[in-house]
Amino acid sequence: HPTWDPNKLSQRMTAVDFRALMNDPGDPLVNRAVQSAFPPASVFKIVSFTAVVEKGLYTPSSMFNDPGYWDGLGVNYRKYNWTWPITGKGLGTLSLSSALTQSDDVVFYQVGQKLNQTDKNILPAFARAFGLGSETGIELAESSGNIPDPNKGGWQLGDAINMVIGQGDVLASPLQIADMMAAVANGGTLYTPHLVARVSSLADGTEKTFPVQVRGKLPISASTLVSLKAALKLVTTDKDGTAFTPFKGSKIIVAGKTGTAEVFKTGEPHSWFAAYAPADSPKIAIVVIAEHGGEGSTTAAPIVREI
């Protein structure tokens, strides 16, 4: 949305009409699901949470303090939690699991610092193992997105801090994020997505099937997965969850993660919501991104509820 009528492509177009189509600032011919790549923003905290827990640097119950800001890059480069412009304070004392549910940036800045101090390659390696930074294998031309390589020179703590919250040079297609959410939902198996399951001929009854293909396994233990899924469920069901309001009263319990991606050009941030449902017995994974849609909780999450 907004839609564009593809029938126009099968009819004779004037040069003027074609130029207007190609110059449309909305880029209607770009398949956003597979061909675009955006900063995944706080949706990426799923990867960050998993990496720091699996490496034994923190546990899901490790406690942190969020005064609303973080000076780990120096007082001249103070970074704030998303609550600061609203309340002038942070979220106080909370666990790592609660920080994921409430999308606390200050806690994840500390996570990024810890991971980077331990080994700057940990987080990029986990991101790639979650299927990011490479094509999914679907039967369409697609973007591979981008996971930064800390070994290519110039890597600073600030790069790690950007990465841990899914900003900076981290880019992912909506399909990659949907594939990642499906893997979290199904217990850790990353599959190759396909457009169709089978193609049948009505004329002679022959059938072509597209077998299930495993792309990889998430680097996550059973206990960490339980904690991760519990935190994602609370995003929509706990009063402190970032998507509690848009899912209040929903008949279907959804597990998910909001994201609000900063943009380098003018305009509102991109609004993300990545989810699977029902939370305790998942059947579908779904991702919505609204370009320049604002906060993930205000635009993308309500759309996911409608779907």
Side-chain angles (χ1 to χ4, degrees):
H1 178 86
T3 58
W4 188 82
D5 183 4
N7 287 314
K8 292 182 179 180
L9 291 175
S10 64
Q11 300 164 0
R12 184 179 296 275
M13 295 183 72
T14 66
V16 172
D17 288 341
F18 184 72
R19 279 196 298 271
L21 175 62
M22 298 305 293
N23 295 327
D24 188 323
D27 293 325
L29 299 187
V30 175
N31 183 337
R32 302 302 204 280
V34 295
Q35 293 176 331
S36 290
F38 305 90
S42 290
V43 174
F44 188 83
K45 290 173 183 173
I46 291 171
V47 178
S48 304
F49 174 93
T50 302
V52 79
V53 173
E54 286 300 316
K55 286 299 179 179
L57 302 176
Y58 294 121
T59 70
S61 58
S62 293
M63 301 305 293
F64 296 83
N65 180 54
D66 167 25
Y69 56 87
W70 182 73
D71 290 334
L73 299 177
V75 292
N76 293 329
Y77 301 96
R78 173 173 286 183
K79 298 182 76 68
Y80 296 91
N81 190 41
W82 63 268
T83 57
W84 185 266
I86 304 168
T87 65
K89 57 184 180 181
L91 294 175
T93 302
L94 69 170
S95 68
L96 180 61
S97 286
S98 294
L100 182 60
T101 297
Q102 299 180 55
S103 205
D104 190 295
D105 293 324
V106 168
V107 171
F108 276 89
Y109 294 146
Q110 296 172 66
V111 166
Q113 184 179 40
K114 189 77 165 179
L115 285 166
N116 194 66
Q117 287 173 343
T118 304
D119 183 346
K120 62 185 179 181
N121 292 299
I122 292 175
L123 192 52
F126 268 78
R128 294 186 186 99
F130 270 72
L132 306 181
S134 62
E135 295 181 2
T136 67
I138 198 170
E139 302 89 345
L140 294 169
E142 60 178 317
S143 170
S144 60
N146 184 63
I147 296 299
D149 184 352
N151 301 301
K152 288 193 173 179
W155 185 262
Q156 303 289 332
L157 175 59
D159 296 300
I161 297 308
N162 273 332
M163 185 176 187
V164 78
I165 61 166
Q167 299 285 177
D169 293 331
V170 181
L171 297 172
S173 71
L175 179 63
Q176 287 174 327
I177 298 297
D179 215 20
M180 179 184 82
M181 296 305 290
V184 170
N186 70 34
T189 302
L190 196 64
Y191 291 106
T192 299
H194 291 290
L195 290 170
V196 295
R198 64 182 182 273
V199 178
S200 301
S201 169
L202 292 177
D204 58 15
T206 58
E207 184 174 88
K208 179 180 180 180
T209 60
F210 297 83
V212 173
Q213 296 172 283
V214 176
R215 290 174 63 200
K217 295 284 188 177
L218 299 187
I220 187 169
S221 65
S223 60
T224 302
L225 185 62
V226 168
S227 297
L228 173 62
K229 295 178 79 170
L232 296 178
K233 182 178 178 181
L234 290 174
V235 168
T236 65
T237 60
D238 185 85
K239 64 178 179 60
D240 293 324
T242 53
F244 176 73
T245 298
F247 283 93
K248 190 175 182 179
S250 174
K251 294 179 181 178
I252 298 173
I253 304 301
V254 175
K257 184 71 193 76
T258 52
T260 304
E262 297 172 1
V263 294
F264 296 109
K265 298 177 182 178
T266 57
E268 290 293 308
H270 302 319
S271 174
W272 283 95
F273 195 71
Y276 57 84
D280 294 329
S281 181
K283 297 295 186 292
I284 63 168
I286 183 167
V287 169
V288 166
I289 181 170
E291 289 182 71
H292 305 292
E295 299 289 328
S297 60
T298 57
T299 305
I303 295 172
V304 170
R305 176 170 175 170
E306 288 295 315
I307 293 170

